[in-house]
Amino acid sequence: MIRRTFIAATLAFATTAIPASAQVFPSNISGSYTAHGMNADGSKYTGRVTVKENAKGDVAFVWQVGAQTYAGQGTRDARVVTVDWGDTTPVVYVYMANGELHGTWAGGKALERLVRE
């Protein structure tokens, strides 16, 4: 419960800490990323993610982690990207100033960082 509260507070802070006039949003987040993550059980993983975004802010993600492939669809609203990938809860990412996407999934119990390649 503490982890979920911390993550929620971090996401809220990340989206409001900088005045809107000073925030820099990419026009498009499409591209290839390296994923660094931690599953809900604490085990770590790495993989590759391909992101495609259209002009309306709809996004398509394909994750390749080991021999497993996952796919999801979602939307981007400024710095926040929400992707439904077939689990009970979506992946929610925040676009960071350094171009990375920092996210949480599994109801806030798992984390993922995407680094543009």
Side-chain angles (χ1 to χ4, degrees), residues 1-11 38-42 85 87-92 103-112:
M1 182 62 146
I2 292 173
R3 176 184 266 169
R4 278 191 220 161
T5 303
F6 174 75
I7 291 169
T10 300
L11 289 173
M38 182 179 68
N39 293 305
D41 66 4
W85 62 291
D87 197 26
T88 56
T89 60
V91 183
V92 179
T104 183
W105 55 280
K109 297 177 187 170
L111 303 172
E112 185 168 81

Side-chain angles (χ1 to χ4, degrees), residues 22-91:
Q23 294 181 8
V24 177
F25 307 122
S27 60
N28 193 294
I29 61 170
S30 296
S32 296
Y33 295 81
T34 300
H36 304 276
M38 182 179 68
N39 293 305
D41 66 4
S43 62
K44 296 187 189 290
Y45 65 88
T46 59
R48 293 196 71 223
V49 181
T50 302
V51 178
K52 293 182 181 176
E53 179 181 11
N54 68 22
K56 292 192 257 180
D58 298 324
V59 293
F61 277 56
V62 177
W63 295 265
Q64 183 70 44
V65 179
Q68 299 291 321
T69 301
Y70 307 92
Q73 304 286 322
T75 58
R76 179 171 75 109
D77 182 11
R79 293 180 55 204
V80 179
V81 181
T82 304
V83 183
D84 178 8
W85 62 291
D87 197 26
T88 56
T89 60
V91 183

